Amino acid sequence: MAQYFSKLWFIIPLAVYLLVNTYVYLHGWWALPSDNAVRIVYAAVFWVCSLSFFIGIAANKFISWRVGAVFSNIGGYWILLFCFFLIACLFADLLRLVQHFADYYPAFVKNNYPLVKQIYFGIVLLGCAGCIIKGHYNFDHTQVVTLNLETAKRQSSLDSLKIAAVSDIHLGNVVRKERLQRYVAQINALQPDIILIAGDIIDHSLGVVRTQHLEDVLPLL
């Protein structure tokens, strides 16, 4: 019985995820020109991206962590894009709902509705691409935030105590050995007295961490 419910709790979120992805997929399909080649490419790219996270997990177990890393990276970016796409679809449906009752669309929109949908599709893509580029830049350029805290209670002879705190490292396919070594060097450069490491330390696969021997890098802190 316990195994049955454990599988059920996995199936239900997966089913919801696929249904919401289908909702987004159909909106993109309807916005694109009726050219079969364009829609075939769109369908292939969409479903490969939407399933990449699960493909990456399977690849880690049965193929190679390097293959899994590729799909995990795609899947990670897709989750972010998917949130933007979902908001754009809901907003478009809200506009259509209001139009149904208020009939406020200007003549240009009514007369060129297929073109307007394609323009909206393009604007959403460009906006999402900009957000992803900005997000990747921030991820690749880790910043140190300094907080100076004072306390009236002194129970030691120390005048100051420097603490370095890090969290959400997510070691695995995305944060691999080279990036972890950069993190370690950046932390050590601060010369902290204490290092606090909060979760999540590992992403979703301990096997990937062991394969890359990331445990050899952490003790260098």
Side-chain angles (χ1 to χ4, degrees), residues 30-203:
W30 293 329
L32 289 172
S34 57
D35 187 327
N36 288 334
V38 173
R39 287 185 167 179
I40 289 173
V41 172
Y42 165 75
V45 171
F46 184 97
W47 287 112
V48 168
C49 290
S50 63
L51 297 175
S52 286
F53 181 78
F54 304 100
I55 296 174
I57 294 176
N60 289 335
K61 293 182 178 180
F62 304 109
I63 305 176
S64 165
W65 71 266
R66 297 184 185 278
V67 177
V70 173
F71 284 102
S72 292
N73 284 330
I74 295 174
Y77 283 115
W78 174 255
I79 294 298
L80 297 175
L81 287 172
F82 172 72
C83 293
F84 291 121
F85 290 155
L86 179 59
I87 293 172
C89 292
L90 291 172
F91 180 69
D93 284 343
L94 177 62
L95 292 179
R96 277 195 288 266
L97 180 63
V98 175
Q99 164 64 18
H100 178 74
F101 293 102
D103 191 22
Y104 69 97
Y105 281 173
F108 174 81
V109 175
K110 292 180 180 179
N111 297 332
N112 302 275
Y113 195 59
L115 176 62
V116 171
K117 289 194 295 183
Q118 293 170 27
I119 293 174
Y120 183 74
F121 183 86
I123 292 173
V124 171
L125 282 183
L126 289 175
C128 291
C131 291
I132 289 296
I133 292 172
K134 176 61 176 175
H136 180 75
Y137 178 85
N138 291 339
F139 173 70
D140 208 37
H141 295 76
T142 308
Q143 295 183 354
V144 176
V145 178
T146 302
L147 300 176
N148 295 315
L149 305 176
E150 295 184 2
T151 175
K153 296 181 179 180
R154 296 185 57 183
Q155 299 181 3
S156 72
S157 59
L158 294 175
D159 293 329
S160 63
L161 185 67
K162 183 181 289 186
I163 301 175
V166 296
S167 67
D168 296 289
I169 305 175
H170 287 277
L171 300 177
N173 286 325
V174 177
V175 180
R176 300 193 285 272
K177 197 165 189 175
E178 298 80 6
R179 190 179 295 275
L180 178 59
Q181 288 171 335
R182 283 164 46 193
Y183 289 166
V184 169
Q186 190 172 15
I187 294 171
N188 287 338
L190 300 174
Q191 297 182 335
D193 300 304
I194 298 175
I195 299 174
L196 301 179
I197 303 178
D200 299 321
I201 297 176
I202 297 173
D203 201 7

